[in-house]
Amino acid sequence: MERIAKSYILPDTFSRVPKLLNYIHLGSLRNYCKGETISQPGEVIGKVIFVLSGRFNISRITDDGREIFVCSGGQHSVINRLFEFEGDNVQVVAIEASKVCFFSENQMLTIFKHDEKTIFDFLYNESIKLNYFIKLSCELKLYTPSVRVLRLFYGLYNLNGQSKNLYWEIQIALPNKVIAEITGLHHVTVSKILGSLKKEKILSKKKNAIIIYNLEKLKDLVDKGISY
């Protein structure tokens, strides 16, 4: 089987596994309200969480109590909590009204025996996540703060940039806090970088969009960075 995986820009949902819809009769269904916790730090679930509807944020709680965003999962995404790691301190919280199906280890084995192709879909999902976080880890070591932010914006432009005559628009709601968490920066640093980009009339970030005024300059700065 050959499958070329696309490179994910944001840690959001990754590859879906809709085939699991055929087996929800084997699992346990549960509804969650917005803000409700599905898994707390240190809690051992031993289940695969299959999102039927809604959205969840997966975060890690540090030893000093800070919450570090890891990724989010929407409809038909898989949150693998079969295996627990000592000290991983992961929490999963519904950020909108959601419904999930829990599958135990034995139930997953039953699914895999019945439909072997689901194994590939599941492994594909895990591989994409692994690739994303390895790439992110390398970028945190290789690139300066401003380059990391610029690479994020340029990646989003390549993914979903729309020409609007005098500028390019990326329709996305991307708070500074999320940019900071993705790029491993402090939100104040992100604000300073965005301020410099706006001052230089390269791009500006609105509530629900990123406006690129000078695409060529953005391309040029991706490897150089910008003073802030």
Side-chain angles (χ1 to χ4, degrees):
M1 178 185 69
E2 284 191 23
R3 189 182 300 187
I4 304 299
K6 67 177 181 179
S7 179
Y8 281 78
I9 306 301
L10 300 174
D12 182 9
T13 300
F14 298 105
S15 175
R16 293 172 171 81
V17 189
K19 277 181 170 291
L20 289 177
L21 281 171
N22 298 326
Y23 303 98
I24 59 175
H25 62 282
L26 297 177
S28 303
L29 302 177
R30 181 169 171 181
N31 294 306
Y32 287 87
C33 299
K34 180 180 179 180
E36 193 172 357
T37 300
I38 189 172
S39 173
Q40 298 179 354
E43 182 180 4
V44 178
I45 293 182
K47 303 284 180 78
V48 167
I49 305 167
F50 178 53
V51 182
L52 297 173
S53 63
R55 180 171 295 278
F56 291 85
N57 271 1
I58 298 92
S59 305
R60 183 177 182 273
I61 307 301
T62 64
D63 292 339
D64 59 1
R66 290 177 297 145
E67 180 180 338
I68 307 298
F69 173 77
V70 176
C71 63
S72 60
Q75 186 179 44
H76 300 162
S77 64
V78 168
I79 305 170
N80 187 352
R81 300 302 292 163
L82 267 178
F83 312 103
E84 305 294 331
F85 296 90
E86 183 178 355
D88 69 356
N89 291 332
V90 169
Q91 73 173 14
V92 184
V93 178
I95 56 174
E96 57 186 66
S98 305
K99 185 175 184 178
V100 306
C101 183
F102 292 97
F103 293 111
S104 68
E105 180 179 344
N106 286 334
Q107 288 165 345
M108 289 301 299
L109 288 173
T110 298
I111 294 169
F112 290 158
K113 288 177 182 177
H114 187 267
D115 184 356
E116 291 183 348
K117 193 173 185 304
T118 307
I119 300 174
F120 288 101
D121 291 343
F122 193 82
L123 288 175
Y124 183 70
N125 177 277
E126 294 292 294
S127 297
I128 285 177
K129 292 175 184 174
L130 178 62
N131 179 73
Y132 174 85
F133 288 109
I134 288 175
K135 179 174 176 285
L136 178 62
S137 177
C138 292
E139 291 196 350
L140 293 178
K141 295 179 180 179
L142 286 174
Y143 301 117
T144 63
S146 66
V147 168
R148 298 206 294 268
V149 173
L150 288 162
R151 284 174 62 85
L152 174 62
F153 288 144
Y154 189 61
L156 291 171
Y157 151 74
N158 282 324
L159 181 69
N160 198 29
Q162 299 176 19
S163 177
K164 299 290 182 178
N165 294 324
L166 298 178
Y167 62 89
W168 288 84
E169 181 179 88
I170 306 164
Q171 295 181 355
I172 186 172
L174 197 62
N176 287 10
K177 182 176 183 291
V178 175
I179 296 173
E181 289 169 336
I182 292 171
T183 56
L185 301 173
H186 193 280
H187 68 88
V188 173
T189 303
V190 171
S191 294
K192 289 180 178 179
I193 294 170
L194 288 171
S196 292
L197 290 169
K198 184 176 181 179
K199 183 179 179 180
E200 296 295 326
K201 298 181 180 179
I202 296 169
L203 66 77
S204 63
K205 187 175 73 66
K206 310 298 183 182
K207 183 178 180 180
N208 294 307
I210 297 165
I211 309 299
I212 301 174
Y213 301 110
N214 192 333
L215 181 58
E216 292 306 312
K217 186 66 174 177
L218 176 62
K219 290 179 182 178
D220 183 58
L221 291 173
V222 162
D223 294 320
K224 299 176 182 178
I226 188 172
S227 299
Y228 56 94

